[in-house]
Amino acid sequence: MNRIEVILTIDTDTLPSNFPEILKEEQEVVARWKAEGILEHLFLRQAKNGAVLIFKDIEEDKVKELMETLPLYRLKKSVEYLNLMQQF
């Protein structure tokens, strides 16, 4: 079973005034992905500057496409994609 880890870092220095609304939209999107079974885990970064998402059973190209639909993606500083193979 393949996993893709995405490390999203947002630019917290230039958050828009409607950030709470963007965050609410973000939560709705990731909840839908979780319900669809393609998002396995979501970890918020302790520094509050992004998140780590772990997708399962989906190809990297599709993950990149999905990530571009995230409301917080527009505020990105960087995004890193890692293909993982689960050992146990």
Side-chain angles (χ1 to χ4, degrees):
M1 190 179 311
N2 75 315
R3 302 282 192 282
I4 299 182
E5 178 181 69
V6 180
I7 302 170
L8 173 65
T9 303
I10 62 170
D11 185 0
T12 56
D13 293 332
T14 59
L15 294 178
S17 60
N18 66 338
F19 183 73
E21 296 162 16
I22 294 170
L23 196 55
K24 185 177 185 300
E25 291 174 29
E26 180 88 4
Q27 292 167 342
E28 292 169 359
V29 172
V30 296
R32 186 173 62 247
W33 292 348
K34 181 71 173 169
E36 291 172 1
I38 58 173
L39 182 64
E40 186 170 43
H41 297 289
L42 170 65
F43 299 93
L44 300 179
R45 301 200 22 209
Q46 197 168 23
K48 298 182 181 178
N49 66 343
V52 176
L53 301 91
I54 300 180
F55 291 87
K56 65 178 183 178
D57 298 330
I58 189 168
E59 296 300 319
E60 184 176 344
D61 290 343
K62 182 64 176 175
V63 169
K64 287 179 178 180
E65 184 181 306
L66 289 169
M67 286 298 296
E68 290 177 6
T69 69
L70 276 179
L72 285 180
Y73 189 85
R74 296 183 301 256
L75 306 175
K76 75 179 181 334
K77 185 183 271 186
S78 67
V79 181
E80 186 176 356
Y81 298 90
L82 303 169
N83 284 281
L84 307 172
M85 296 184 310
Q86 187 171 356
Q87 290 292 309
F88 55 86

